[in-house]
Amino acid sequence: GVDIAPAMLDAARRRAAAQGIDNASFVVADAQTDSLGPSQFDAAFSRFGVMFFADPVAAFANIRASLRSGGVFAFACWDNLFANEWMFLPGSAVVQVTGSLPPMPGPEEPGPFSLADPDRVAALVHDAGFSNVTVTPHAQTIEIPEAEVESVAALSSRVGPVREALRTADADTSARITDAVRAVLMERLDQGYLRMSAAALVVRAEG
């Protein structure tokens, strides 16, 4: 397991230990620039992490260099914002309070939706030297019990447009944003559940 954040690796180690997995190792490294070892691995997989590479082609090529010939590279990345109500709805609450969304990364800048264009992501992976690239959309509706809505509201403050708005907001505005996020989510309750769309792209390629 590779990540630039030691805290993420600590969490991974705890999860592995809890499941009795003793043959996994976790290394602090930047997958875009650091050597991941010689061409030895059968596969590389990332779940919602590759969108933050400053240079995706360089990062994908570096990962490819660690794979044996024919090794598989697969990852999941978010589809566009409007297909992901779990982030879009809290963002709409920010607009209700401030009148506009905070500045967000451009469509090709590192950020949660930088790889949301299927054609672009396929081209980036191909340019990194992979072949047989497939991009498969995956969408679903997530159902959250009413008792967990507060947890969802808290999570929203740590990601996406809500986090960006709270960075620079004063105490009064922050409180209003938090209340608005909670209200937007509560308005979507139906028969005891909060239902929101979530959509991703599943990418697979061969080295």
Side-chain angles (χ1 to χ4, degrees), residues 61-207:
N62 191 45
I63 293 169
R64 178 176 174 268
S66 73
L67 298 175
R68 63 170 177 76
S69 178
V72 173
F73 177 40
F75 61 84
C77 58
W78 293 118
D79 206 330
N80 69 82
L81 174 62
F82 300 104
N84 283 283
E85 290 179 325
W86 65 272
M87 189 178 288
F88 177 75
L89 287 175
S92 71
V94 173
V95 176
Q96 291 178 18
V97 173
T98 66
S100 63
L101 281 172
M104 295 290 287
E108 296 186 6
E109 296 176 341
F113 302 105
S114 66
L115 300 178
D117 182 333
D119 292 335
R120 177 172 181 265
V121 71
L124 292 173
V125 175
H126 184 270
D127 289 348
F130 286 95
S131 60
N132 299 325
V133 182
T134 61
V135 181
T136 305
H138 175 79
Q140 68 183 73
T141 298
I142 53 176
E143 292 189 349
I144 301 164
E146 183 174 356
E148 297 180 15
V149 171
E150 286 293 334
S151 297
V152 175
L155 173 63
S156 298
S157 70
R158 301 194 296 270
V159 297
V162 178
R163 179 186 65 179
E164 295 304 314
L166 292 176
R167 280 187 202 275
T168 57
D170 57 36
D172 176 68
T173 303
S174 294
R176 290 165 56 208
I177 289 173
T178 301
D179 289 344
V181 169
R182 186 181 300 108
V184 163
L185 297 178
M186 293 297 289
E187 288 172 2
R188 288 292 296 267
L189 283 174
D190 180 30
Q191 298 181 340
Y193 285 90
L194 168 64
R195 296 178 174 86
M196 298 183 292
S197 65
L201 303 177
V202 180
V203 182
R204 184 186 187 279
E206 296 176 3

Side-chain angles (χ1 to χ4, degrees), residues 46-67:
S46 174
R47 186 177 66 173
F48 304 112
V50 295
M51 306 90 66
F52 301 99
F53 287 130
D55 187 339
V57 173
F60 296 159
N62 191 45
I63 293 169
R64 178 176 174 268
S66 73
L67 298 175

